[in-house]
PDB file of all heavy atoms in Angstrom:
ATOM      1  N   GLU B 679     145.652-174.647 135.698  1.00 89.00           N
ATOM      2  CA  GLU B 679     146.779-175.200 136.432  1.00 89.00           C
ATOM      3  C   GLU B 679     146.612-176.696 136.576  1.00 89.00           C
ATOM      4  O   GLU B 679     145.829-177.308 135.861  1.00 89.00           O
ATOM      5  CB  GLU B 679     146.871-174.517 137.798  1.00 89.00           C
ATOM      6  CG  GLU B 679     146.943-173.007 137.669  1.00 89.00           C
ATOM      7  CD  GLU B 679     147.805-172.386 138.722  1.00 89.00           C
ATOM      8  OE1 GLU B 679     147.672-172.789 139.889  1.00 89.00           O
ATOM      9  OE2 GLU B 679     148.617-171.512 138.359  1.00 89.00           O
ATOM     10  N   ASN B 680     147.318-177.277 137.517  1.00 86.00           N
ATOM     11  CA  ASN B 680     147.241-178.726 137.702  1.00 86.00           C
ATOM     12  C   ASN B 680     145.829-179.181 138.071  1.00 86.00           C
ATOM     13  O   ASN B 680     145.084-178.443 138.695  1.00 86.00           O
ATOM     14  CB  ASN B 680     148.196-179.164 138.818  1.00 86.00           C
ATOM     15  CG  ASN B 680     149.609-179.169 138.304  1.00 86.00           C
ATOM     16  OD1 ASN B 680     149.828-179.156 137.081  1.00 86.00           O
ATOM     17  ND2 ASN B 680     150.559-179.164 139.215  1.00 86.00           N
ATOM     18  N   HIS B 681     145.511-180.398 137.698  1.00 87.00           N
ATOM     19  CA  HIS B 681     144.208-181.006 138.016  1.00 87.00           C
ATOM     20  C   HIS B 681     143.048-180.146 137.555  1.00 87.00           C
ATOM     21  O   HIS B 681     142.038-180.036 138.236  1.00 87.00           O
ATOM     22  CB  HIS B 681     144.087-181.291 139.522  1.00 87.00           C
ATOM     23  CG  HIS B 681     145.157-182.194 140.013  1.00 87.00           C
ATOM     24  ND1 HIS B 681     145.204-183.524 139.669  1.00 87.00           N
ATOM     25  CD2 HIS B 681     146.235-181.961 140.782  1.00 87.00           C
ATOM     26  CE1 HIS B 681     146.267-184.063 140.217  1.00 87.00           C
ATOM     27  NE2 HIS B 681     146.913-183.151 140.890  1.00 87.00           N
ATOM     28  N   PHE B 682     143.199-179.512 136.427  1.00 89.00           N
ATOM     29  CA  PHE B 682     142.126-178.750 135.781  1.00 89.00           C
ATOM     30  C   PHE B 682     141.604-177.603 136.638  1.00 89.00           C
ATOM     31  O   PHE B 682     140.494-177.141 136.457  1.00 89.00           O
ATOM     32  CB  PHE B 682     140.965-179.677 135.381  1.00 89.00           C
ATOM     33  CG  PHE B 682     141.423-180.877 134.621  1.00 89.00           C
ATOM     34  CD1 PHE B 682     141.293-182.147 135.158  1.00 89.00           C
ATOM     35  CD2 PHE B 682     142.011-180.722 133.378  1.00 89.00           C
ATOM     36  CE1 PHE B 682     141.746-183.252 134.461  1.00 89.00           C
ATOM     37  CE2 PHE B 682     142.447-181.834 132.673  1.00 89.00           C
ATOM     38  CZ  PHE B 682     142.320-183.100 133.209  1.00 89.00           C
ATOM     39  N   LEU B 683     142.396-177.168 137.581  1.00 91.00           N
ATOM     40  CA  LEU B 683     142.017-175.993 138.361  1.00 91.00           C
ATOM     41  C   LEU B 683     142.232-174.770 137.483  1.00 91.00           C
ATOM     42  O   LEU B 683     143.307-174.585 136.918  1.00 91.00           O
ATOM     43  CB  LEU B 683     142.864-175.904 139.631  1.00 91.00           C
ATOM     44  CG  LEU B 683     142.498-174.731 140.530  1.00 91.00           C
ATOM     45  CD1 LEU B 683     141.180-175.014 141.236  1.00 91.00           C
ATOM     46  CD2 LEU B 683     143.582-174.477 141.547  1.00 91.00           C
ATOM     47  N   THR B 684     141.175-173.964 137.351  1.00 92.00           N
ATOM     48  CA  THR B 684     141.269-172.820 136.448  1.00 92.00           C
ATOM     49  C   THR B 684     141.181-171.531 137.237  1.00 92.00           C
ATOM     50  O   THR B 684     140.307-171.382 138.096  1.00 92.00           O
ATOM     51  CB  THR B 684     140.116-172.868 135.433  1.00 92.00           C
ATOM     52  OG1 THR B 684     140.109-174.154 134.834  1.00 92.00           O
ATOM     53  CG2 THR B 684     140.277-171.817 134.364  1.00 92.00           C
ATOM     54  N   ILE B 685     142.096-170.646 136.963  1.00 92.00           N
ATOM     55  CA  ILE B 685     142.088-169.351 137.648  1.00 92.00           C
ATOM     56  C   ILE B 685     141.570-168.302 136.678  1.00 92.00           C
ATOM     57  O   ILE B 685     142.077-168.157 135.566  1.00 92.00           O
ATOM     58  CB  ILE B 685     143.500-168.980 138.134  1.00 92.00           C
ATOM     59  CG1 ILE B 685     143.954-170.016 139.173  1.00 92.00           C
ATOM     60  CG2 ILE B 685     143.510-167.584 138.731  1.00 92.00           C
ATOM     61  CD1 ILE B 685     145.416-169.952 139.479  1.00 92.00           C
ATOM     62  N   ILE B 686     140.509-167.615 137.076  1.00 92.00           N
ATOM     63  CA  ILE B 686     139.962-166.542 136.237  1.00 92.00           C
ATOM     64  C   ILE B 686     140.214-165.240 136.969  1.00 92.00           C
ATOM     65  O   ILE B 686     139.765-165.052 138.101  1.00 92.00           O
ATOM     66  CB  ILE B 686     138.452-166.754 136.008  1.00 92.00           C
ATOM     67  CG1 ILE B 686     138.215-168.121 135.377  1.00 92.00           C
ATOM     68  CG2 ILE B 686     137.880-165.662 135.117  1.00 92.00           C
ATOM     69  CD1 ILE B 686     136.769-168.540 135.383  1.00 92.00           C
ATOM     70  N   ARG B 687     140.961-164.352 136.305  1.00 90.00           N
ATOM     71  CA  ARG B 687     141.376-163.143 136.998  1.00 90.00           C
ATOM     72  C   ARG B 687     140.958-161.929 136.183  1.00 90.00           C
ATOM     73  O   ARG B 687     141.122-161.906 134.959  1.00 90.00           O
ATOM     74  CB  ARG B 687     142.895-163.163 137.174  1.00 90.00           C
ATOM     75  CG  ARG B 687     143.395-162.321 138.324  1.00 90.00           C
ATOM     76  CD  ARG B 687     144.894-162.438 138.457  1.00 90.00           C
ATOM     77  NE  ARG B 687     145.329-163.727 138.992  1.00 90.00           N
ATOM     78  CZ  ARG B 687     146.337-164.432 138.499  1.00 90.00           C
ATOM     79  NH1 ARG B 687     146.989-164.006 137.435  1.00 90.00           N
ATOM     80  NH2 ARG B 687     146.683-165.574 139.042  1.00 90.00           N
ATOM     81  N   SER B 688     140.390-160.968 136.839  1.00 89.00           N
ATOM     82  CA  SER B 688     140.055-159.718 136.158  1.00 89.00           C
ATOM     83  C   SER B 688     140.142-158.629 137.198  1.00 89.00           C
ATOM     84  O   SER B 688     139.451-158.670 138.211  1.00 89.00           O
ATOM     85  CB  SER B 688     138.644-159.799 135.572  1.00 89.00           C
ATOM     86  OG  SER B 688     138.282-158.558 135.038  1.00 89.00           O
ATOM     87  N   GLY B 689     141.021-157.652 136.939  1.00 87.00           N
ATOM     88  CA  GLY B 689     141.239-156.617 137.940  1.00 87.00           C
ATOM     89  C   GLY B 689     141.732-157.265 139.221  1.00 87.00           C
ATOM     90  O   GLY B 689     142.645-158.077 139.201  1.00 87.00           O
ATOM     91  N   SER B 690     141.067-156.983 140.317  1.00 89.00           N
ATOM     92  CA  SER B 690     141.537-157.549 141.576  1.00 89.00           C
ATOM     93  C   SER B 690     140.737-158.785 141.972  1.00 89.00           C
ATOM     94  O   SER B 690     140.975-159.379 143.018  1.00 89.00           O
ATOM     95  CB  SER B 690     141.448-156.484 142.680  1.00 89.00           C
ATOM     96  OG  SER B 690     140.140-155.957 142.689  1.00 89.00           O
ATOM     97  N   ALA B 691     139.754-159.142 141.121  1.00 90.00           N
ATOM     98  CA  ALA B 691     138.948-160.329 141.446  1.00 90.00           C
ATOM     99  C   ALA B 691     139.634-161.582 140.919  1.00 90.00           C
ATOM    100  O   ALA B 691     140.166-161.586 139.804  1.00 90.00           O
ATOM    101  CB  ALA B 691     137.561-160.197 140.853  1.00 90.00           C
ATOM    102  N   GLU B 692     139.611-162.615 141.707  1.00 91.00           N
ATOM    103  CA  GLU B 692     140.225-163.868 141.255  1.00 91.00           C
ATOM    104  C   GLU B 692     139.329-165.037 141.630  1.00 91.00           C
ATOM    105  O   GLU B 692     138.948-165.195 142.781  1.00 91.00           O
ATOM    106  CB  GLU B 692     141.602-164.035 141.880  1.00 91.00           C
ATOM    107  CG  GLU B 692     142.329-165.232 141.332  1.00 91.00           C
ATOM    108  CD  GLU B 692     143.709-165.398 141.946  1.00 91.00           C
ATOM    109  OE1 GLU B 692     144.540-164.475 141.819  1.00 91.00           O
ATOM    110  OE2 GLU B 692     143.946-166.454 142.554  1.00 91.00           O
ATOM    111  N   PHE B 693     138.977-165.834 140.632  1.00 91.00           N
ATOM    112  CA  PHE B 693     138.171-167.028 140.873  1.00 91.00           C
ATOM    113  C   PHE B 693     139.026-168.263 140.650  1.00 91.00           C
ATOM    114  O   PHE B 693     139.788-168.315 139.691  1.00 91.00           O
ATOM    115  CB  PHE B 693     136.997-167.097 139.878  1.00 91.00           C
ATOM    116  CG  PHE B 693     135.866-166.184 140.214  1.00 91.00           C
ATOM    117  CD1 PHE B 693     135.833-164.891 139.744  1.00 91.00           C
ATOM    118  CD2 PHE B 693     134.825-166.650 141.000  1.00 91.00           C
ATOM    119  CE1 PHE B 693     134.773-164.059 140.047  1.00 91.00           C
ATOM    120  CE2 PHE B 693     133.753-165.829 141.302  1.00 91.00           C
ATOM    121  CZ  PHE B 693     133.733-164.523 140.822  1.00 91.00           C
ATOM    122  N   ASN B 694     138.863-169.248 141.526  1.00 91.00           N
ATOM    123  CA  ASN B 694     139.447-170.568 141.265  1.00 91.00           C
ATOM    124  C   ASN B 694     138.295-171.511 140.974  1.00 91.00           C
ATOM    125  O   ASN B 694     137.442-171.725 141.821  1.00 91.00           O
ATOM    126  CB  ASN B 694     140.202-171.090 142.495  1.00 91.00           C
ATOM    127  CG  ASN B 694     141.518-170.400 142.645  1.00 91.00           C
ATOM    128  OD1 ASN B 694     141.861-169.550 141.827  1.00 91.00           O
ATOM    129  ND2 ASN B 694     142.247-170.747 143.685  1.00 91.00           N
TER     130      ASN B 694
END
Side-chain angles (χ1 to χ4, degrees):
Chain B
E679 305 215 316
N680 283 343
H681 302 290
F682 310 114
L683 182 74
T684 308
I685 297 166
I686 303 168
R687 204 178 287 135
S688 174
S690 52
E692 186 180 301
F693 283 89
N694 284 359

